Amino acid sequence: MSTGHHRHHLLRLVLSCRKITAQVTNPRSESIVAMASSSEQEFVPQYRSKLHRFPRSHNFWDAKIASRVGEKLGFRLKEIGVCDIQIDLHEELSRPIHHRKMIIPLFDSIKRAGIVVAGAEKLESLNWGQIDRGE
């Protein structure tokens, strides 16, 4: 890749009350190069325990599961030689604050795996500013 007009791989998150999926796409072809999801086999026991809990939970994933999904994605990116990705800051800022707070650990786990996550620091600083103001 040339450094003159290098485009980062794009990290896209798909969030629902049942699962979180993180996928990284190639900037040229927009094909998915790596992904991780809370619907993978490793997470089935946690999902089932929340499914049968009373009172019922409307959210089947949390920051801890998001962190583990990020860890898995980080390792997969390392395996294929991707060392930097970027988030769509505009898309992430459009999410409700409770989802944004729960995905920060996902970005942190990817960073701990040695992957640069462009835009994550901006999202984190904006989140903490909103939390401090009580939003």
Side-chain angles (χ1 to χ4, degrees):
M1 278 186 193
S2 67
T3 55
H5 39 290
H6 179 274
R7 290 178 52 201
H8 295 285
H9 287 79
L10 182 63
L11 171 61
R12 293 220 163 132
L13 300 177
V14 180
L15 309 177
S16 73
C17 63
R18 293 192 174 264
K19 69 179 182 174
I20 178 171
T21 301
Q23 54 192 31
V24 176
T25 56
N26 182 314
R28 287 186 208 83
S29 64
E30 296 190 13
S31 61
I32 297 171
V33 297
M35 71 181 291
S37 174
S38 63
S39 62
E40 294 179 24
Q41 193 64 38
E42 169 187 339
F43 301 103
V44 170
Q46 291 103 323
Y47 177 81
R48 283 195 180 133
S49 71
K50 290 184 178 186
L51 186 64
H52 300 299
R53 188 176 68 195
F54 187 81
R56 297 224 189 276
S57 172
H58 293 290
N59 223 9
F60 292 92
W61 62 275
D62 55 17
K64 188 175 180 180
I65 290 175
S67 177
R68 184 67 183 123
V69 168
E71 187 178 312
K72 291 173 78 86
L73 182 64
F75 290 135
R76 290 172 183 168
L77 290 168
K78 274 281 221 225
E79 284 179 354
I80 62 171
V82 174
C83 58
D84 58 340
I85 59 176
Q86 73 180 44
I87 63 169
D88 181 342
L89 187 59
H90 202 55
E91 181 178 335
E92 297 309 325
L93 287 172
S94 71
R95 297 188 193 282
I97 187 73
H98 67 279
H99 276 163
R100 291 195 322 235
K101 287 192 291 187
M102 289 196 303
I103 62 173
I104 299 278
L106 180 137
F107 300 141
D108 291 341
S109 292
I110 295 171
K111 289 183 214 173
R112 278 193 301 277
I115 309 295
V116 175
V117 184
E121 66 288 334
K122 179 80 171 162
L123 180 66
E124 290 174 22
S125 68
L126 290 170
N127 272 351
W128 290 119
Q130 288 180 336
I131 292 167
D132 291 342
R133 289 191 310 267
E135 291 180 25

